[in-house]
Amino acid sequence: MVNPFPNTPTILVEFCQILRGLGVRVSTTEALDAASALAHLDWSDPEAFRTGLQATLIKRMDDRPLFQQAFKSYFQPAERTCGCGGQKAQPQEEGETEFLFQGKPLDIPDELKEVHRKLPPEDQRRITDFLERTSTGNKVTEKFQSIAERMVTGSLEYWRRQLAEQTVQSFQVDYTGNPRIDAALEASTEALQSSLPALMQRDLAKIAESELPQVIQLLKRMAKALATQLSRRRRRSRATQQVDLRRTIRGNLRYGGTLLKVSYRQRSRTKPKILLLCDVSGSMVKYVTFVLQFLTSVANLAYNIESFIFAEELERLTPSMRTHPSLGELSEIITNRSAQWGKGTHLQQSLVSLRTRHRRVIQPSTVVIVLSDTKTIQAEAAAAELAQLRRSVKQILWLNTLPREDWPRHRTTGLFQAHARMLPCNTLADLAKVVGSEIFHLGQ
Amino acid sequence: MSISLEGLKEALARTGYIAEQEVVVTLFLALKLGKPLLIEGPPGVGKTEIAKALATIFETELIRLQCYEGLDESRALYEWNYQRQLLKIQLQKELGGSGSEQDLFGPEYLLERPLLKSLTSEQQSVLLIDEVDKTDEQFEAFLFEILSDFQVSIPEWGTVRAKHIPIVILTSNHDRELSDGLRRRCVYLHIGYPSIEKETAILESRLPGIRHQLAAELATALHRMRALPEIEKKPAISEGLDWAQALAALGHEQLDEQALQDTLGVVFKHDHDLRKMREMPGFLEKNDPPPRLQDSKKR
């Protein structure tokens, strides 16, 4: 067996660190297994070598693309190096672009200059070309400098938002400080950005009509997997059952009282109550239709769900949900039949309506799930109303459709976080995670 | 287990199991490392067949534990034959025989279930823990002890160690996410739906009388059907085999529209899928390349 790597343990440890950096859980036992596996394989066969590492280090299908990319980046690296030492490598230092208007520098904040440096060359050029053209235009005087300044600042602000959005979709990578490992990590991350499981990671509001059949299939699969678990959870295993003495004695009378067969009894469980409050203002319709359909298809099996939509006022949706509408029908119900669709959000007023007009749905065992981007008028009053609601129910979960990275920029998020457990619910992956890790456990 | 990689590949082929290199290498490593092999993948892609093939290759017993909701230790490991013990007590009482309490916990009163049977087997056996995702978390945790140390504790007997460490194959359809602990103890293999070429070879291997042209047509059609996003239950390899047999039984020598309509019920088992396929006249004529499969991830 030919060993092309003179320092196998180091290679293996480094590769495991790359995988960990990409978020794959690799334990020491698994690293040891990989080392043992390599001892049994012919290293001159690259396919066997790769499969050996994959079989011992990767235990989830979801992690396989990460492994494949890490393998490619580490064992078959392209000709590039990363000079990072513990931090993500910065884009190559280039001479700072001077934003000049008729030879005079424009007053552009440093952070926006940084945004400019991060842009692709053609977009960078577009801005500098614009400045050049404007500077040399006919009858262009110095007075136009401030206009040019505003134009460039506006354009760079736009790009800042775009870049921030891309960052949200990107991988969170833990850099190690070892240049070799970080180079492979960076190469893997870049390659993986373009191959992210697109639909699962995409903002729900950006899912196109043409992708709906795929999304519906995904939702169904996720719902099926989760519903199976929910129904299973409700059953108690025999180990925790109690002997049913009455049935045991009755059943064994036929054997002359000898206890040949033992009967067990199960403890009955009550369905927890879920109260769903969905914000249908502005661009919320897609989030609401996806979440409503998913939640009701998963949780109807085990929970009692009361659904409301709100914008300026509260509107009960439960009767419409009883017919199990499809995604399209649900969207139609919200946008056409509801009086609330597209209005501004007034959470406080909606919560007051809930407290006064729908008093019976607020019970100590109720779990309230609010689906909203937290943008509302009279936020302080709404927070106070939410605090009051919190005292009357078991728990409040807030599914925030804003990406988690944007939360600090919205004051309202902080206000409501004080009274509700806030979770991101921006993508299908978020949705599956929220249902799997939070709503799934409500009955326990 | 003294077998080479090439030897394993040939042996698998002899049993009629057509395996890709990845499957062979992973299986080989599981055997060499003495670790359980966890196989995931959609239903009907040959996960269980691997265990059967191994039992054939090593000429050993296949011990199968079919998992289901509510499976517990007494069904999986061992159970005292309570009725027989009671009978013994009654007989002793009536016939006046003598005996100690220990006599009631001898091997003749122990009902060995698959897990214990695989540990006490006189020769190395193949233990198939099928559809492990159907069990609950408690049972999964209980499996840890067995899969790590290949020993179990029976209070009346003490620790029972495996005479021969069995070859353990666990399969999962991914109905439930398995714990990290279980995964860590296993070598992992994912089997997806086969390529057209592989499925053609499987059809020819399992149905020796089938014409190559028909096998290729069936494999292509199955591949395209699995790629349709509207289809909920993708046809498995076993359904492809049934389909070929159904066509043969009806005397169809090639796959045309009539043959397809006659036999759709063999391929699709859900009303929704059947309706969708019937709403696609001319499915076979369309030669556009199938969209990229997403079957590998069930969730």
Side-chain angles (χ1 to χ4, degrees):
Chain A
M1 288 182 203
V2 185
N3 180 348
F5 305 110
N7 195 357
T8 314
T10 311
I11 296 282
L12 203 52
V13 168
E14 285 187 358
F15 186 62
C16 288
Q17 284 192 316
I18 291 168
L19 290 175
R20 288 176 190 136
L22 291 172
V24 181
R25 292 176 72 169
V26 180
S27 69
T28 313
T29 324
E30 284 161 324
L32 289 170
D33 285 347
S36 309
L38 293 182
H40 292 289
L41 293 172
D42 181 359
W43 290 41
S44 62
D45 178 356
E47 194 52 35
F49 177 73
R50 190 188 59 77
T51 308
L53 289 179
Q54 183 179 276
T56 46
L57 298 176
I58 299 299
K59 306 295 170 69
R60 280 193 166 77
M61 192 53 193
D62 297 346
D63 292 337
R64 199 172 273 195
L66 300 175
F67 169 85
Q68 283 166 349
Q69 193 50 57
F71 187 87
K72 206 171 155 191
S73 305
Y74 188 67
F75 291 105
Q76 303 145 7
E79 287 182 13
R80 47 173 303 191
T81 53
C82 164
C84 49
Q87 296 295 315
K88 188 183 186 306
Q90 296 300 314
Q92 217 174 358
E93 274 300 321
E94 289 167 10
E96 193 172 297
T97 312
E98 278 291 318
F99 295 98
L100 299 174
F101 183 83
Q102 296 182 337
K104 289 181 187 165
L106 294 183
D107 183 20
I108 305 290
D110 285 347
E111 58 195 56
L112 290 182
K113 284 181 183 169
E114 183 62 31
V115 171
H116 184 262
R117 267 200 298 279
K118 287 180 185 168
L119 291 181
E122 60 269 32
D123 292 316
Q124 285 183 343
R125 218 170 18 251
R126 207 169 292 153
I127 294 173
T128 44
D129 285 354
F130 161 77
L131 271 180
E132 212 175 288
R133 277 200 312 275
T134 323
S135 301
T136 53
N138 284 337
K139 297 178 185 171
V140 176
T141 62
E142 277 182 19
K143 281 188 282 182
F144 282 89
Q145 180 165 344
S146 60
I147 297 170
E149 226 163 57
R150 278 204 297 275
M151 296 282 280
V152 172
T153 309
S155 170
L156 289 171
E157 282 288 356
Y158 164 80
W159 280 112
R160 176 157 71 175
R161 284 195 298 276
Q162 289 292 313
L163 289 175
E165 205 166 286
Q166 283 168 20
T167 316
V168 167
Q169 305 250 344
S170 69
F171 278 101
Q172 297 298 310
V173 178
D174 297 329
Y175 288 91
T176 60
N178 177 329
R180 261 160 40 109
I181 298 176
D182 288 349
L185 267 175
E186 196 191 9
S188 304
T189 315
E190 276 176 21
L192 286 163
Q193 298 290 13
S194 54
S195 62
L196 267 174
L199 278 175
M200 286 299 282
Q201 300 295 339
R202 194 166 327 147
D203 189 326
L204 288 174
K206 290 180 184 163
I207 288 172
E209 286 290 315
S210 58
E211 291 166 327
L212 280 182
Q214 274 174 285
V215 174
I216 292 168
Q217 286 304 316
L218 265 172
L219 285 174
K220 277 186 182 169
R221 280 188 197 177
M222 289 175 358
K224 189 184 159 203
L226 286 164
T228 314
Q229 295 176 49
L230 276 172
S231 62
R232 186 174 292 148
R233 289 247 165 172
R234 291 178 59 228
R235 223 182 241 196
R236 309 199 118 228
S237 81
R238 197 173 158 186
T240 51
Q241 285 169 352
Q242 292 177 330
V243 173
D244 187 336
L245 273 178
R246 195 182 64 83
R247 276 177 196 276
T248 304
I249 292 168
R250 272 185 78 90
N252 286 290
L253 282 177
R254 73 183 80 164
Y255 306 117
T258 307
L259 302 182
L260 277 174
K261 284 182 186 168
V262 183
S263 302
Y264 297 88
R265 68 177 165 198
Q266 286 185 320
R267 194 179 295 168
S268 63
R269 300 184 79 185
T270 51
K271 282 185 175 186
K273 295 178 182 67
I274 291 180
L275 172 58
L276 255 177
L277 301 175
C278 301
D279 180 352
V280 290
S281 61
S283 58
M284 289 290 296
V285 71
K286 270 198 173 158
Y287 296 108
V288 172
T289 47
F290 284 131
V291 173
L292 262 176
Q293 238 230 351
F294 188 55
L295 271 185
T296 47
S297 56
V298 174
N300 255 346
L301 292 169
Y303 304 136
N304 290 319
I305 298 186
E306 269 289 346
S307 314
F308 290 87
I309 52 175
F310 70 92
E312 285 179 358
E313 250 303 341
L314 195 70
E315 200 174 299
R316 189 162 175 253
L317 202 65
T318 312
S320 307
M321 295 304 294
R322 286 202 189 108
T323 58
H324 302 288
S326 67
L327 212 59
E329 288 164 345
L330 194 56
S331 179
E332 205 265 336
I333 290 170
I334 295 171
T335 51
N336 292 351
R337 284 190 250 162
S338 157
Q340 299 305 314
W341 161 241
K343 291 186 174 174
T345 309
H346 197 332
L347 178 62
Q348 188 255 345
Q349 195 165 302
S350 305
L351 289 177
V352 170
S353 292
L354 180 74
R355 181 162 51 83
T356 51
R357 285 168 36 213
H358 302 281
R359 179 77 213 159
R360 57 168 192 85
V361 299
I362 304 173
Q363 291 172 9
S365 61
T366 304
V367 176
V368 179
I369 300 175
V370 184
L371 176 72
S372 169
D373 56 7
T374 72
K375 294 173 191 167
T376 176
I377 54 167
Q378 297 182 19
E380 280 80 6
E385 196 62 42
L386 193 71
Q388 190 176 343
L389 178 66
R390 175 69 192 90
R391 287 192 287 274
S392 314
V393 296
K394 187 177 174 187
Q395 193 184 358
I396 301 179
L397 289 178
W398 191 300
L399 310 188
N400 193 340
T401 56
L402 292 173
R404 192 188 278 274
E405 288 74 8
D406 287 357
W407 292 5
R409 272 188 262 147
H410 296 271
R411 191 180 58 90
T412 47
T413 303
L415 272 176
F416 299 132
Q417 253 177 322
H419 311 292
R421 181 165 155 67
M422 201 166 279
L423 302 156
C425 190
N426 183 247
T427 62
L428 284 178
D430 284 342
L431 183 56
K433 198 173 162 193
V434 162
V435 174
S437 63
E438 297 291 329
I439 297 167
F440 176 74
H441 296 284
L442 292 179
Q444 292 174 8
Chain B
M1 193 55 63
S2 57
I3 191 165
S4 68
L5 192 61
E6 277 309 306
L8 180 64
K9 190 173 186 179
E10 284 164 19
L12 281 170
R14 274 200 301 279
T15 64
Y17 193 92
I18 295 166
E20 282 146 355
Q21 185 68 1
E22 185 183 324
V23 175
V24 182
V25 172
T26 311
L27 191 51
F28 173 75
L29 287 176
L31 294 173
K32 283 290 175 189
L33 302 181
K35 292 229 157 203
L37 175 64
L38 170 63
I39 312 176
E40 284 191 320
V45 291
K47 300 186 293 292
T48 307
E49 287 302 308
I50 286 189
K52 291 181 185 169
L54 282 178
T56 310
I57 291 169
F58 297 113
E59 295 174 343
T60 187
E61 191 185 0
L62 173 68
I63 299 170
R64 181 172 182 162
L65 173 64
Q66 179 63 51
C67 297
Y68 54 87
E69 210 177 305
L71 176 67
D72 59 11
E73 291 171 40
S74 64
R75 298 281 167 204
L77 189 58
Y78 74 92
E79 195 172 23
W80 289 109
N81 192 337
Y82 176 57
Q83 286 83 354
R84 197 170 173 186
Q85 285 171 325
L86 275 177
L87 197 63
K88 169 85 174 174
I89 294 166
Q90 295 281 12
L91 283 173
Q92 274 183 347
K93 210 182 335 177
E94 289 185 14
L95 302 176
S98 63
S100 68
E101 186 195 334
Q102 274 304 312
D103 294 344
L104 291 171
F105 295 100
E108 66 272 32
Y109 296 103
L110 191 80
L111 296 172
E112 280 190 350
R113 303 295 187 200
L115 291 180
L116 185 61
K117 207 172 159 193
S118 71
L119 298 185
T120 56
S121 178
E122 288 304 323
Q123 62 163 344
Q124 187 182 36
S125 56
V126 175
L127 170 64
L128 168 64
I129 305 177
D130 213 2
E131 303 192 13
V132 67
D133 51 327
K134 298 273 192 295
T135 62
D136 43 37
E137 288 87 347
Q138 288 154 319
F139 184 77
E140 203 183 301
F142 156 74
L143 277 179
F144 287 178
E145 185 187 356
I146 297 182
L147 298 183
S148 299
D149 308 325
F150 292 99
Q151 63 176 39
V152 288
S153 305
I154 299 177
E156 295 82 2
W157 286 12
T159 303
V160 177
R161 290 195 173 77
K163 288 181 182 166
H164 301 278
I165 290 179
I167 299 166
V168 184
I169 307 286
L170 297 106
T171 72
S172 162
N173 290 332
H174 219 139
D175 267 3
R176 175 175 69 80
E177 187 64 31
L178 298 174
S179 70
D180 284 338
L182 185 68
R183 287 176 186 276
R184 204 171 50 240
R185 285 164 172 83
C186 302
V187 172
Y188 180 79
L189 174 66
H190 182 276
I191 306 181
Y193 291 114
S195 62
I196 295 176
E197 294 73 28
K198 188 184 165 192
E199 191 148 28
T200 308
I202 293 170
L203 287 167
E204 286 177 327
S205 155
R206 291 296 174 98
L207 307 167
I210 195 169
R211 287 189 310 112
H212 175 76
Q213 177 66 19
L214 180 59
E217 282 173 6
L218 286 174
T220 310
L222 286 164
H223 192 71
R224 291 186 55 217
M225 285 165 174
R226 286 174 195 140
L228 294 170
E230 303 92 331
I231 300 300
E232 277 183 20
K233 163 73 179 72
K234 315 278 180 206
I237 298 175
S238 53
E239 273 144 355
L241 290 166
D242 291 345
W243 194 13
Q245 284 174 320
L247 289 174
L250 294 173
H252 291 292
E253 294 205 339
Q254 61 178 17
L255 186 61
D256 51 28
E257 194 60 35
Q258 186 58 47
L260 176 72
Q261 292 302 330
D262 288 351
T263 51
L264 269 181
V266 181
V267 188
F268 296 101
K269 311 293 169 63
H270 285 279
D271 178 45
H272 166 267
D273 293 343
L274 269 175
R275 267 191 287 116
K276 284 284 168 195
M277 280 307 295
R278 294 217 161 98
E279 285 165 11
M280 276 188 250
F283 171 77
L284 294 171
E285 274 92 65
K286 288 176 192 159
N287 287 321
D288 49 331
R292 209 167 152 227
L293 274 183
Q294 294 189 341
D295 70 272
S296 309
K297 292 175 189 172
K298 277 201 81 187
R299 285 173 298 164

